[in-house]
Amino acid sequence: MSPETPVLSVEHLSVRYRRGRRISNALDDVSFEVQPGETVGLVGESGSGKSTAAKAILGLVPVYAGFIYFFGTDIAHLPFKERRKTYRQMQIVFQDPYSSMNPTRTIGNTLSEPLEAFGERDHKARRDRVYEMLERVHLPPSAANRYPWQFSGGQRQRIAIARALMLSPRLLILDEAVSSLDLSVQAQVLNLLQELQEASALSYVFISHDLGVVRHICDRVVVLYRGRVMESGPALFVSGRNSAHPYTYTLNEAVPVPDPDAQQARRSVARSVTSPPSDTTKIGDEQCVFAPRCPWNQPRCWRERPLLRPAYPNGVVACHRYPEWQSEIARPEPLDAHVLPAPKRR
Amino acid sequence: MLRIVGNRLLLSVPLLLVVSTLTFLLEALIPGDVARTIVGPQGTQEQYLQLKHSLGLDQPLFTRYQQWLENVIHGDFGNSLFNHEPVTMLLNVRLSVTLSLVIGATLLAAIVGVLLGIAGALRADIAGTAVDALSMVGLAIPNFFLGLLLIALFAVAIPLFPATGYVPFDASPLDWARSLVLPVVVLATPGIAVVAKQTRDSMRAVLERPFIRTLRAAGLPRRSIIFKHALRSAAAPVVTVLGLIFVASLGGTVVVESVFAMPGLGGLAVQATTQHDLPLIQGVAVYFTALVVVVNLLIDLAYGWLDPRVRVE
Amino acid sequence: MSVLTDQIVIGPASHSHQSVRLLLRNPVAIAAITFLGIVTLVCIGAPVTAPFDPLHQDLERVLSGPTAHNLLGTDTLGRDVLSRLIYGGRRSLLSVLEGVVVVTALGVPMGLAAGYTGGWVDRVVGKFAETIMAVPALIIVLVVLAVLPQNEDAAMISFGLLGIPAILRVVRSATLRVREDLYVAAARVSGLNHVQIVKRHIFPHVWGPVIVQASLFAAYALLFETGIAYLGLTADPSTPTWGGMVAEASTVIQRQAWLLVPSGTLIALTILAFGLLGDAIRDAVVIGEGGLARRAPTSVVTKPDRAGDIAEPLNGRSGLVLRVRDLSVSTTSSAAETPIVDRVGFDVYAGETLGIIGESGCGKSVTALAVLRLLPQGLGVTGGQVYWQGDDLLSMTERLFDELRGSSLAYVSQEPQSSLDPAFTVGSQLVELIRHHQRVSRRKAWSSAIALLRQVELQNPDQVARTYAHELSGGMAQRVAIAFALVGRPKLLIADEPTTALDVTVQAEILGLLRRLQRETGMALILITHNWGVIADICDRAVVMYAGQIVEKSGIREMFHKPLHPYTLGLLKSHPSLAEPRSRLSSIPGSVPSPGSWPPACRFSPRCRFVADECLKGPIPLIDVEPGHSSRCIRVDQIFAKASA
């Protein structure tokens, strides 16, 4: 374990929001760390809370409980004025390359905005930095005088990355940054991100629902489900066949790989997880949040919330039945199995 | 559903209160002395003081307000300054005239406007530009001008309808209807324009939505898609607009009733203004607001029926 | 003109210069601006421009029509109508200005505050606006006039105050819309404070609608001002006002009908001009993202894509269900016809799944819509045939095709919740559809609906039938959409990105459902996607599309293990799942050309690492490389002999 201070350390973070009369936990006791030069993936489906995590880290939503340590200092409860100072070191790239840029301003203006906001008055210095960043993301200097609508999605995303890097941050949060890009463009942007990381020891928090991408680019992965951490560990373990949590296993099994033979082989394994219940199903605080969908659930899972405990080296899992559940995976059947009815509470 | 009605009713009480208070305060706060205005430059100081006392204007503001509020809660708006008759009595007599006009205008605007709007949405080219052009003209032409034109054409040149005057329903239904035609058309004209435009815009927007494509792909007949599905989803903004049209028509009666010499609330309001008859004007304002409240309630109910998403809340 | 509706749509706002330029190209706008300009100047310069003193009575020329002496005639006291109009205009225009200034000076800041700050500020402002909107403005102004007789300024200021809610709502919704946009969040994270954000990022989107509303409000203000002048509430009869002149004319309709015309028409035209100007400004500001469609390059004739289809091994399944030949689709605007789909052809057999895969802009969705004759406005089929059991669907009458569509041919689209009518329950829509296809009673139709919902693996089908689409989760809604498609017992289901909007676990279930349904019903499936994993999971054969063309067609295993086109190869190599973790992904340089700027010969050539001179000579045909495997690459042999060796 490195003795360096982690760039980011999220501890027991909880975020709540209310919709009308209902209060729900967007994030519930989430913890993870990002070391310098590391890429940590936050993975989950809709409702997992991964985007909320990004917003909370940036101070765009209020924190209900927990801490967010940035280079050792808790930023979760800072007033905006103080928070604002952290933006020099921490930036974000959003998912949508189309709406993340003001269409009425040139690229040059958009890129120099962070510099202006933090007091860089010298016009020439700003211009130079804009050209420098454009070059680093492999765009021509003439781009500075054009408007967002003149660029493709992939190019805009590169501009967004350039904007995020203007202040030389140490941490970059990428919120589904490649999810809306075509495959060929996605590869370019992923390569760029790796290149930039190698050049300046950047740390990334990479938020995505795409397990294939996460497996490729992340060192460590945190798996979220309905606001809670299910499993967290090195990418190769989390995204492999021996993942520690039933949910992670489900996710991995569900992602189709671009190999027809492999897909056929996988289909023959009985699929035994049901559809998610609708959002209004109340999940108690004192139970495992995945229990209603888990084929290996037991009474304990409904009574007691599992805490994170060590699984494989450098990995933790929140499951009462680890590692026993792994031996209960059904034997392969010759044909596709139907989806089974909801697993009974045992 | 009941909750929506309850909510709306609950909100209307303070609304009516606010509006009535507003009209009361306006008189008090606006720089200007009503008593002086009524008495006029020729009036003596004694007359002025006497009038001021009889109007209760020499009392402190808060006392006046309390007294006035008490009266209003009992439905007493005071007496007309001009002919000393109870305001409520004067207003009730004229209510039916104004209601006939405004309801008639809103209905006409709804029916004609929606039909024109649907035509404009389905046939983008000819009917569409026709709708646009008519809307333009319909909105630009001042109602008094239009009224006078219609009188010149359809009452003077070709005596189809009476130029002025109102015939009560019980006297002669046919004549009642005839006396209403021209003023209702004038009141409805801007409404038709707005409804047609809104209907067309809404329909066009709905027809672009994915669920319409699903229905077409599923093979449902065109007519049922347009009239059953598309119209239902397009209706909400049109209903809102109808509400606004009702309110605007209420305002329009002020001018239209004068043009056609109809004995309604609008004409009374004008009279009251020229005569500085404050209690009367305040009464009209409150009546109008009450009508608007009722209409808004109906609109809320209509929304609930049209859009199930609203019902759940 | 629609002050009463706040449906101002804000597209990506153009640069202000661009808006002004667009405005000046609009003839209606120019006419309106010119007219208003002339009226304003003439009225302001009244002492100079008016031929007579507006109060001067010439009792010998009473009620004359237009003459050389009095261009627009005279009124009841022989006063010159034209001069009175000019002087009257000063008052009217001043009043309009008063109203507009009040409404914008107060309404805009309030709207910005309400929209940007939200919370209690928004609620308070909202209640305030609601209260004001509850009373017809005219009545309140009458109260004001009762207390301050003939005070037109007071009346117009009150009118302005009462008009605040309308502009407030527009500004507020413009602000809200923009506030939700990501670049506002990005600006915040860049370090800007609230004032800077409002100034730079919010206001540019607001001033456009504000000007539109101001112009429309001016129209209403004038309408209002002339109305109260008509009623004689604002000035004594001798002072010239436009409304007053109409009132005067009304008293002598029978003697001199003409008198009505100059005043009334001028009022109407001025109001019209304000209104038209407002609409024109709205069109100029709202116009979509710049870049008008460039002229399409002269269409190149390519050989029909017959290759690869005729003598195909059929996997033991027989029965040709659909045969598409030379299908082309273009945009239909009069300015430039841009091809979107270029001579696409493929076959589909009963019981099999054909995948159409490509990146965005390749034309795959448009192809599907063209087959179903569901192309949106602005696109049209420009060539080709779609054979269904021998008949060409494209040349069928609408009526005949309607019977096919929804029964034999079914469709499922990408966004499940928005593909169902939000105003009706799921069950009632299914019932409607069932009864359209079969003559059955409502009760029978309802039980068929429940059975269908069960067939698509929905738990509690009774409950689901009673819900509305928006109450369902994505996965459930998609199952419902599939149930819809199954009503007519289709022989072919076209699914356009059916799982793209769904979570990955739900996606797996839906794909499983589709496979099962195919086995049960024997229907064919065309699956359109950009996801190679999905293709690998469910398809028997696939076609790859690029820039409106098919570039490769083959059975599924061959496509993955032995791709025969550089594009397919490039895509597969750039897939993260097939690469070493943490390695550099192989990527295709450049980006997909958009319709209208397709390269002339091989459309992939600018990005292809195997490009040679022969690739740039002319259009490339689709060639049969092996039985059942075709490719649109003339260097196939050279490139892939090495690769597969």
Side-chain angles (χ1 to χ4, degrees):
Chain A
M1 288 300 292
S2 144
E4 286 179 64
T5 323
V7 173
L8 183 73
S9 178
V10 173
E11 285 181 23
H12 306 294
L13 183 65
S14 293
V15 173
R16 288 194 180 178
Y17 68 90
R18 59 166 45 214
R19 184 178 287 156
R21 236 161 271 177
R22 282 197 344 244
I23 301 181
S24 45
N25 286 321
L27 287 177
D28 190 346
D29 196 14
V30 170
S31 306
F32 62 91
E33 251 180 30
V34 182
Q35 301 290 342
E38 194 184 28
T39 303
V40 172
L42 286 185
V43 157
E45 297 177 298
S46 51
S48 58
K50 51 195 198 299
S51 275
T52 310
K55 293 187 195 153
I57 293 171
L58 282 164
L60 296 172
V61 296
V63 163
Y64 179 77
F67 305 94
I68 303 175
Y69 293 103
F70 188 55
F71 286 111
T73 320
D74 178 20
I75 59 173
H77 304 97
L78 288 180
F80 178 64
K81 244 201 212 158
E82 297 298 312
R83 211 33 138 105
R84 195 173 156 274
K85 294 186 194 155
T86 61
Y87 293 152
R88 290 202 92 123
Q89 309 272 47
M90 183 201 295
Q91 279 291 320
I92 185 166
V93 176
F94 292 103
Q95 168 174 10
D96 186 350
Y98 295 90
S99 66
S100 64
M101 244 165 278
N102 188 335
T104 62
R105 318 195 84 217
T106 60
I107 300 300
N109 269 331
T110 301
L111 286 177
S112 43
E113 197 167 64
L115 298 173
E116 287 174 66
F118 280 96
E120 176 56 81
R121 299 207 181 286
D122 183 356
H123 180 74
K124 182 165 189 313
R126 293 204 303 265
R127 264 281 130 159
D128 287 340
R129 181 97 175 121
V130 167
Y131 289 140
E132 180 195 331
M133 289 317 302
L134 283 173
E135 198 186 347
R136 281 183 75 185
V137 300
H138 309 303
L139 284 169
S142 58
N145 297 324
R146 298 207 228 128
Y147 289 90
W149 51 264
Q150 291 170 286
F151 295 94
S152 69
Q155 291 168 322
R156 283 193 229 196
Q157 210 57 327
R158 284 193 260 160
I159 295 169
I161 294 173
R163 172 175 61 187
L165 294 176
M166 290 303 278
L167 298 168
S168 305
R170 301 292 302 279
L171 174 70
L172 202 55
I173 301 181
L174 298 147
D175 188 358
E176 303 272 12
V178 297
S179 305
S180 53
L181 301 177
D182 283 320
L183 189 55
S184 55
V185 180
Q186 176 180 275
Q188 293 172 357
V189 175
L190 287 174
N191 287 344
L192 174 65
L193 286 173
Q194 282 187 310
E195 188 188 313
L196 291 168
Q197 186 174 48
E198 281 164 23
S200 44
L202 267 177
S203 306
Y204 292 143
V205 172
F206 193 87
I207 298 170
S208 178
H209 65 280
D210 189 336
L211 283 168
V213 171
V214 166
R215 187 183 303 158
H216 180 81
I217 196 177
C218 298
D219 300 305
R220 298 174 52 83
V221 176
V222 178
V223 179
L224 292 172
Y225 181 72
R226 298 191 78 155
R228 301 187 192 172
V229 176
M230 297 287 101
E231 181 176 347
S232 164
L236 286 176
F237 277 95
V238 174
S239 54
R241 299 232 74 200
N242 294 312
S243 50
H245 197 282
Y247 177 58
T248 321
Y249 174 77
T250 315
L251 276 184
N252 283 326
E253 288 303 296
V255 175
V257 293
D259 183 344
D261 298 319
Q263 276 306 107
Q264 190 148 30
R266 289 164 108 204
R267 281 207 304 270
S268 58
V269 172
R271 188 161 298 124
S272 50
V273 176
T274 59
S275 310
S278 68
D279 287 333
T280 52
T281 308
K282 272 231 87 198
I283 297 287
D285 274 339
E286 292 312 313
Q287 66 169 96
C288 171
V289 73
F290 188 60
R293 287 176 70 185
C294 184
W296 300 284
N297 74 79
Q298 279 184 340
R300 188 182 175 202
C301 305
W302 295 87
R303 281 192 324 251
E304 197 185 315
R305 179 174 166 167
L307 299 172
L308 284 171
R309 55 192 174 92
Y312 35 78
N314 287 341
V316 291
V317 67
C319 177
H320 293 306
R321 301 215 60 221
Y322 173 79
E324 300 88 49
W325 69 264
Q326 290 177 324
S327 52
E328 289 175 27
I329 298 176
R331 298 280 161 268
E333 285 179 22
L335 286 176
D336 271 15
H338 283 222
V339 173
L340 295 177
K344 297 210 187 59
R345 277 181 80 130
R346 286 184 274 161
Chain B
M1 209 58 124
L2 270 174
R3 194 192 295 172
I4 297 178
V5 173
N7 242 336
R8 175 60 72 174
L9 282 176
L10 238 86
L11 284 174
S12 353
V13 171
L15 183 66
L16 282 170
L17 207 61
V18 166
V19 171
S20 338
T21 309
L22 196 69
T23 52
F24 175 84
L25 287 177
L26 267 177
E27 178 266 304
L29 296 176
I30 285 181
D33 192 335
V34 180
R36 173 68 62 195
T37 314
I38 294 177
V39 162
Q42 298 92 344
T44 66
Q45 185 66 359
E46 200 190 301
Q47 282 176 316
Y48 168 67
L49 286 170
Q50 201 174 33
L51 183 60
K52 208 166 173 194
H53 179 77
S54 72
L55 286 177
L57 289 174
D58 48 359
Q59 306 224 6
L61 182 61
F62 199 65
T63 329
R64 278 164 55 201
Y65 182 56
Q66 270 184 311
Q67 183 64 45
W68 177 84
L69 202 57
E70 240 186 77
N71 289 345
V72 162
I73 290 178
H74 289 114
D76 175 13
F77 286 91
N79 291 349
S80 157
L81 288 180
F82 193 68
N83 57 15
H84 307 291
E85 285 175 35
V87 165
T88 32
M89 193 192 85
L90 289 168
L91 294 180
N92 290 340
V93 158
R94 296 176 161 236
L95 185 59
S96 55
V97 178
T98 302
L99 273 181
S100 324
L101 285 177
V102 176
I103 293 179
T106 312
L107 279 176
L108 187 62
I111 297 173
V112 176
V114 167
L115 288 174
L116 280 180
I118 296 181
L122 295 178
R123 275 154 227 221
D125 38 8
I126 307 175
T129 21
V131 168
D132 267 335
L134 283 175
S135 298
M136 279 289 116
V137 173
L139 285 168
I141 195 165
N143 48 11
F144 51 91
F145 186 46
L146 180 62
L148 292 172
L149 277 180
L150 287 183
I151 288 179
L153 285 172
F154 296 110
V156 175
I158 318 167
L160 273 178
F161 303 101
T164 56
Y166 172 78
V167 177
F169 183 74
D170 4 312
S172 157
L174 183 64
D175 284 333
W176 170 79
R178 281 183 69 210
S179 69
L180 281 180
V181 168
L182 290 184
V184 164
V185 168
V186 172
L187 265 184
T189 302
I192 293 176
V194 173
V195 171
K197 188 118 195 288
Q198 178 66 67
T199 307
R200 187 187 61 171
D201 290 346
S202 281
M203 281 291 278
R204 278 234 195 105
V206 168
L207 288 172
E208 294 289 310
R209 279 166 55 179
F211 78 87
I212 296 286
R213 193 173 56 191
T214 311
L215 293 172
R216 286 187 67 200
L220 280 180
R222 209 168 132 91
R223 162 173 296 156
S224 123
I225 293 182
I226 291 172
F227 286 98
K228 182 172 173 196
H229 291 270
L231 200 52
R232 185 83 173 255
S233 283
V238 177
V239 167
T240 314
V241 159
L242 279 176
L244 294 172
I245 300 242
F246 185 90
V247 175
S249 301
L250 269 183
T253 58
V254 170
V255 172
V256 171
E257 284 177 12
S258 298
V259 171
F260 289 92
M262 312 276 288
L265 292 174
L268 188 62
V270 177
Q271 228 182 298
T273 311
T274 43
Q275 292 159 354
H276 317 295
D277 198 340
L278 272 176
L280 197 52
I281 275 254
Q282 285 167 354
V284 175
V286 174
Y287 266 52
F288 271 28
T289 309
L291 283 174
V292 171
V293 164
V294 169
V295 166
N296 280 337
L297 180 64
L298 291 173
I299 291 183
D300 280 344
L301 289 174
Y303 264 154
W305 178 73
L306 284 173
D307 189 351
R309 288 177 277 199
V310 172
R311 270 186 240 165
V312 178
E313 286 148 42
Chain C
M1 304 194 273
S2 48
V3 164
L4 297 181
T5 67
D6 63 348
Q7 278 215 322
I8 309 267
V9 171
I10 303 178
S14 346
H15 206 236
S16 56
H17 292 334
Q18 208 173 358
S19 310
V20 173
R21 223 180 305 137
L22 273 162
L23 186 68
L24 293 178
R25 268 197 230 158
N26 183 343
V28 169
I30 297 185
I33 295 176
T34 321
F35 178 80
L36 289 171
I38 293 178
V39 168
T40 314
L41 287 174
V42 167
C43 291
I44 291 181
V48 172
T49 52
F52 292 91
D53 177 349
L55 301 174
H56 168 75
Q57 304 176 4
D58 187 349
L59 292 167
E60 287 169 29
R61 286 198 169 89
V62 167
L63 287 182
S64 76
T67 61
H69 191 249
N70 302 91
L71 283 174
L72 290 177
T74 58
D75 66 6
T76 52
L77 293 177
R79 298 172 293 204
D80 177 44
V81 168
L82 177 59
S83 310
R84 284 176 71 77
L85 279 180
I86 292 177
Y87 273 91
R90 293 174 120 189
R91 176 67 254 189
S92 294
L93 292 175
L94 176 64
S95 295
V96 167
L97 186 66
E98 283 170 349
V100 170
V101 164
V102 167
V103 96
T104 39
L106 291 174
V108 173
M110 284 174 78
L112 280 173
Y116 189 72
T117 321
W120 65 268
V121 172
D122 192 13
R123 278 196 294 269
V124 164
V125 169
K127 283 280 169 274
F128 169 72
E130 245 187 74
T131 317
I132 293 189
M133 287 191 81
V135 194
L138 209 36
I139 290 292
I140 299 291
V141 175
L142 287 183
V143 175
V144 171
L145 282 171
V147 178
L148 294 171
Q150 313 214 320
N151 191 332
E152 186 161 333
D153 299 306
M156 291 315 293
I157 291 177
S158 316
F159 183 71
L161 290 173
L162 293 166
I164 289 178
I167 205 173
L168 193 156
R169 278 201 355 216
V170 168
V171 171
R172 176 181 175 271
S173 59
T175 307
L176 275 180
R177 220 168 307 215
V178 177
R179 189 184 75 167
E180 301 304 319
D181 269 347
L182 285 178
Y183 59 81
V184 171
R188 196 121 161 80
V189 174
S190 294
L192 296 180
N193 62 37
H194 289 301
V195 174
Q196 287 171 313
I197 292 180
V198 169
K199 202 176 77 166
R200 265 187 221 211
H201 293 283
I202 308 238
F203 197 68
H205 291 261
V206 160
W207 67 255
V210 165
I211 297 207
V212 172
Q213 286 295 305
S215 189
L216 297 177
F217 186 79
Y220 276 89
L222 187 57
L223 193 56
F224 173 78
E225 190 267 345
T226 51
I228 52 177
Y230 169 82
L231 293 171
L233 296 173
T234 50
D236 61 76
S238 63
T239 318
T241 60
W242 287 358
M245 291 171 73
V246 174
E248 198 197 323
S250 69
T251 59
V252 293
I253 273 191
Q254 303 191 295
R255 274 164 66 191
Q256 176 55 286
W258 160 257
L259 194 54
L260 202 48
V261 173
S263 42
T265 326
L266 181 58
I267 298 173
L269 284 177
T270 315
I271 296 177
L272 188 63
F274 276 122
L276 287 174
L277 183 61
D279 279 349
I281 296 177
R282 178 195 294 134
D283 290 339
V285 168
V286 159
I287 208 159
E289 310 226 58
L292 304 161
R294 269 164 270 172
R295 291 224 120 241
T298 39
S299 48
V300 178
V301 178
T302 47
K303 283 235 181 95
D305 292 350
R306 293 250 151 93
D309 293 319
I310 303 189
E312 267 192 48
L314 302 175
N315 304 357
R317 294 167 175 137
S318 59
L320 179 67
V321 159
L322 187 79
R323 167 161 283 181
V324 178
R325 288 286 177 271
D326 300 328
L327 183 61
S328 300
V329 177
S330 304
T331 60
T332 53
S333 78
S334 49
E337 256 192 33
T338 318
I340 307 284
V341 173
D342 186 17
R343 297 182 157 252
V344 158
F346 53 84
D347 290 344
V348 184
Y349 294 86
E352 75 160 359
T353 305
L354 175 75
I356 303 183
I357 185 160
E359 296 178 297
S360 37
C362 67
K364 53 193 194 294
S365 289
V366 174
T367 306
L369 291 176
V371 168
L372 290 163
R373 287 172 59 164
L374 284 178
L375 289 172
Q377 288 266 25
L379 288 177
V381 171
T382 52
Q385 300 85 32
V386 175
Y387 293 107
W388 175 268
Q389 310 198 318
D391 299 313
D392 179 13
L393 296 179
L394 296 177
S395 50
M396 260 186 208
T397 61
E398 186 79 33
R399 177 166 299 174
L400 274 175
F401 186 70
D402 270 351
E403 279 168 39
L404 269 183
R405 190 169 52 194
S407 52
S408 311
L409 270 177
Y411 175 71
V412 169
S413 70
Q414 180 170 353
E415 292 277 349
Q417 281 119 331
S418 54
S419 67
L420 298 165
D421 190 334
F424 294 92
T425 59
V426 160
S428 65
Q429 287 184 67
L430 274 173
V431 162
E432 183 186 350
L433 199 51
I434 291 170
R435 295 184 79 202
H436 170 71
H437 284 287
Q438 310 151 23
R439 293 187 170 291
V440 287
S441 68
R442 237 168 228 257
R443 178 167 301 178
K444 184 109 196 335
W446 184 264
S447 51
S448 303
I450 304 287
L452 267 173
L453 292 174
R454 200 167 285 132
Q455 193 181 9
V456 295
E457 293 167 3
L458 279 166
Q459 320 275 359
N460 306 320
D462 301 277
Q463 215 176 342
V464 172
R466 281 178 234 277
T467 54
Y468 293 90
H470 64 274
E471 295 172 332
L472 298 170
S473 70
M476 291 168 81
Q478 196 61 305
R479 291 181 199 269
V480 170
I482 294 174
F484 245 72
L486 291 177
V487 167
R489 294 181 238 263
K491 300 212 181 65
L492 171 66
L493 175 63
I494 301 181
D496 188 358
E497 307 264 17
T499 57
T500 304
L502 304 175
D503 283 332
V504 77
T505 47
V506 179
Q507 168 176 278
E509 290 169 7
I510 298 288
L511 291 176
L513 170 65
L514 286 173
R515 272 200 309 273
R516 208 201 84 223
L517 288 171
Q518 270 192 297
R519 270 201 323 266
E520 283 176 8
T521 65
M523 71 180 180
L525 176 65
I526 295 180
L527 184 76
I528 298 165
T529 181
H530 64 281
N531 184 326
W532 286 91
V534 168
I535 294 271
D537 187 62
I538 196 177
C539 298
D540 302 304
R541 294 189 303 127
V543 307
V544 180
M545 283 187 71
Y546 183 80
Q549 287 177 321
I550 293 183
V551 298
E552 186 165 354
K553 235 192 275 194
S554 90
I556 203 70
R557 298 187 71 245
E558 290 76 26
M559 181 148 301
F560 282 90
H561 296 313
K562 223 173 56 170
L564 289 179
H565 192 281
Y567 177 58
T568 317
L569 184 66
L571 279 186
L572 286 171
K573 281 184 147 191
S574 63
H575 201 289
S577 299
L578 298 174
E580 274 294 310
R582 311 292 287 156
S583 67
R584 278 288 194 279
L585 292 166
S586 159
S587 72
I588 308 176
S591 48
V592 181
S594 40
S597 42
W598 291 335
C602 170
R603 294 182 186 164
F604 187 63
S605 51
R607 309 172 69 191
C608 182
R609 61 187 170 110
F610 303 106
V611 66
D613 284 334
E614 42 181 337
C615 306
L616 306 173
K617 291 238 177 75
I620 318 283
L622 193 63
I623 327 163
D624 255 342
V625 180
E626 287 164 6
H629 196 157
S630 41
S631 163
R632 197 184 290 272
C633 176
I634 55 175
R635 302 200 63 218
V636 155
D637 300 318
Q638 294 107 309
I639 303 169
F640 293 95
K642 290 190 229 151
S644 59

